[in-house]
Amino acid sequence: MPRLATPLSELQIRKAKPAEKAYFLADGNGLRLLVSPAGRKSWVVRYRLPNGSRPAPATIGHYPEMSLAEARINAVEVQRDAKKGKSTAGIRKAQQEVEAAASAELEAAAQQLAEVERVSFRAVSGRWMAEKRPTWAMETYRKARLVVDAYLVPKLGGLDMRQLETKHVRPVLVEMAKSTPQLARKARQYLGSIVDHAINEGLRSDESRLRLDRILPAYRSGHMPAVTDNDAKLGEVMRAIDVYPNRVVRAALILAALTAMRSGVVASARWEEIDLKAGEWRIPGMNPDGTNRMKTGQDFSTSLPEQALMVLREMRERNMGGEYVFPPQGRQNSPHLSRDTLSKALREMGFQGEHTTHGFRASLRTLGRERLGIDVDVLESQLAHAPKDEVEAAYARVKFREKRREVMQQWADYLDKLRTGDILMGVS
């Protein structure tokens, strides 16, 4: 049996002196006197609830305001009421103290979890993408989102960016390189940039960059497939496009071939950008949401040869007041045609590994120079490649505007002849 406490006396209570730490004097039957370091003496009683549990003791009064005899009576009442499930002032106060302590503990735990999440790779990479997005073209953002969300976050998401080391990311990159070597290189690039973002946020020191240069095995990356040295094959591509059953996709591919604009720009073309009378397509450098439309972020315009105007007029006749030239197809969720649909169409035509939508840019760059004798600077201007400086960019836009109109009609006529076979048959 537990040892019973010797009942207190008024003399003991009066003589009780404060100590460095609070201490209890037991009176028995659950009643104790708590003496604080400041000398305050409080009556505390332990009790049981109907379910048999023992919550935190209840403070029922203070000495000498409440005498020993009164404390014993109140203690019995509290214990009796608690056993019956009644809530008295002492019990309520004890419960409030327990709840307050539990709430404070939960809040502290929540703050700790929030801090752990704030410095995690998942959170830092998310903030990095949000900061970069306004400066990226949509396709650049899409690729970064794919690499980060599908490959990096599942493996590194919970790691503390303050403690991230090369040994943590190396296995992830090496594993990616086995199946997707090009994405692995993008992942390495993104990781370096994410670490720099963490440094800028003050989570890492300036000299804490990762050693990523020699992690990946040697790999010879290639350019996107493009027909650049075979007139017959390019003519085959143009004939396949000409008979492709989906009118919207066919028209978009023709526009991409005739203007050599990037596939994402073509797929998202708006009618407000197209001037059919002037034969001009004026492309804003930025999207309405502030992200890059053109890769350089600069406004751009290209002339539209007669063949391009023909397919655009056809799309205008089919259009029912929509914002975009090429509406989405099938179950696409985007407001306009997906750029991936164009590449998929060329694969369906049998040109996988030989030619892509982006490949028309390489075709113009090479064949335009070799077959048509177009000046390199004019070709670079048409491809909207970023000049070395802003002065040169402005000069090129002014200098080559009319020349580009001439050469793009020349390019369209050349593709027409390849499509009909006139060049191969020697017909002028």
Side-chain angles (χ1 to χ4, degrees):
M1 293 181 64
R3 185 173 62 86
L4 297 177
T6 302
L8 294 173
S9 66
E10 289 283 351
L11 182 60
Q12 284 179 286
I13 297 171
R14 285 196 302 270
K15 287 186 176 182
K17 303 296 182 184
E20 185 177 347
K21 294 182 179 180
Y23 65 93
F24 288 98
L25 296 175
D27 183 60
N29 296 321
L31 178 63
R32 295 186 296 173
L33 183 72
L34 173 63
V35 182
S36 73
R40 186 173 178 80
K41 300 173 182 178
S42 305
W43 294 112
V44 177
V45 62
R46 301 182 65 186
Y47 57 91
R48 288 182 184 274
L49 295 177
N51 61 7
S53 63
R54 282 185 177 273
T59 300
I60 60 175
H62 304 283
Y63 185 87
E65 291 86 355
M66 179 181 287
S67 67
L68 174 58
E70 291 173 328
R72 286 170 176 168
I73 294 172
N74 289 335
V76 171
E77 291 177 351
V78 166
Q79 292 170 336
R80 183 189 61 219
D81 291 342
K83 193 172 183 180
K84 293 180 179 179
K86 294 182 180 180
S87 179
T88 64
I91 294 175
R92 284 197 299 271
K93 183 176 180 181
Q95 290 174 335
Q96 288 169 358
E97 291 174 350
V98 170
E99 291 169 0
S103 178
E105 186 177 344
L106 287 174
E107 183 178 353
Q111 290 177 350
Q112 184 177 2
L113 287 175
E115 177 63 11
V116 169
E117 178 59 23
R118 186 185 74 85
V119 300
S120 69
F121 179 88
R122 180 188 304 103
V124 175
S125 63
R127 295 195 295 272
W128 167 75
M129 276 197 291
E131 181 182 274
K132 291 288 187 182
R133 183 172 185 178
T135 65
W136 281 341
M138 185 56 67
E139 174 57 17
T140 303
Y141 173 73
R142 188 185 73 86
K143 183 175 291 184
R145 188 71 182 266
L146 169 67
V147 170
V148 172
D149 288 354
Y151 293 93
L152 300 182
V153 167
K155 300 290 186 180
L156 306 172
L159 295 183
D160 188 333
M161 282 299 294
R162 297 170 298 186
Q163 301 172 3
L164 188 72
E165 298 180 13
T166 304
K167 65 182 180 181
H168 298 134
V169 304
R170 184 181 183 280
V172 179
L173 293 175
V174 170
E175 187 64 26
M176 284 185 67
K178 293 177 182 178
S179 56
T180 56
Q182 291 185 2
L183 287 185
R185 273 152 182 75
K186 279 295 181 184
R188 180 177 62 182
Q189 173 189 335
Y190 297 152
L191 278 166
S193 187
I194 292 169
V195 169
D196 284 343
H197 185 88
I199 292 173
N200 292 337
E201 287 190 340
L203 299 179
R204 300 173 67 93
S205 62
D206 290 347
E207 60 276 2
S208 64
R209 290 181 174 85
L210 304 183
R211 300 176 62 184
L212 303 174
D213 291 343
R214 299 184 180 181
I215 286 181
L216 298 177
Y219 171 76
R220 184 179 179 182
S221 60
H223 297 291
M224 292 187 182
V227 177
T228 58
D229 59 358
N230 189 327
D231 287 327
K233 176 59 70 174
L234 189 55
E236 186 181 338
V237 171
M238 297 308 297
R239 285 191 292 275
I241 292 174
D242 195 44
V243 296
Y244 192 71
N246 186 305
R247 289 176 176 268
V248 174
V249 176
R250 180 174 72 221
L253 285 170
I254 292 174
L255 186 64
L258 298 178
T259 63
M261 289 293 98
R262 290 181 172 84
S263 54
V265 174
V266 172
S268 60
R270 292 180 170 87
W271 282 115
E272 64 183 23
E273 303 166 357
I274 306 292
D275 188 338
L276 293 176
K277 291 184 178 179
E280 196 83 14
W281 181 11
R282 302 179 184 91
I283 308 166
M286 308 291 289
N287 289 309
D289 63 0
T291 58
N292 280 16
R293 175 81 185 286
M294 295 293 293
K295 187 174 183 178
T296 61
Q298 301 294 319
D299 294 349
F300 184 80
S301 65
T302 179
S303 64
L304 296 168
E306 287 299 323
Q307 294 90 330
L309 292 172
M310 187 180 302
V311 297
L312 287 171
R313 291 189 185 106
E314 178 189 351
M315 292 305 301
R316 181 55 114 181
E317 291 175 2
R318 294 167 54 85
N319 186 273
M320 302 300 291
E323 176 184 0
Y324 294 94
V325 177
F326 306 110
Q329 302 296 291
R331 298 180 179 178
Q332 293 176 8
N333 295 323
S334 60
H336 54 74
L337 181 68
S338 167
R339 62 182 294 280
D340 294 333
T341 301
L342 304 181
S343 299
K344 180 175 179 290
L346 286 171
R347 291 196 298 271
E348 291 175 345
M349 296 176 203
F351 300 111
Q352 182 167 358
E354 295 182 298
H355 194 75
T356 62
T357 317
H358 194 88
F360 284 117
R361 294 171 61 78
S363 298
L364 172 63
R365 179 65 174 76
T366 303
L367 295 175
R369 176 64 179 161
E370 295 180 357
R371 302 291 197 272
L372 305 179
I374 301 173
D375 186 88
V376 172
D377 290 338
V378 177
L379 290 171
E380 289 292 296
S381 181
Q382 176 62 32
L383 294 171
H385 285 162
K388 296 178 181 179
D389 55 55
E390 294 182 3
V391 174
E392 183 180 344
Y395 178 70
R397 284 197 293 270
V398 174
K399 180 180 178 181
F400 299 130
R401 182 172 295 154
E402 290 304 317
K403 186 63 177 177
R404 285 195 292 120
R405 184 178 295 277
E406 296 175 12
V407 301
M408 292 315 292
Q409 185 61 57
Q410 186 181 0
W411 171 250
D413 294 340
Y414 169 73
L415 291 180
D416 259 358
K417 290 180 179 180
L418 291 181
R419 177 177 57 83
T420 59
D422 287 353
I423 289 180
L424 297 181
M425 293 184 297
V427 179
S428 60

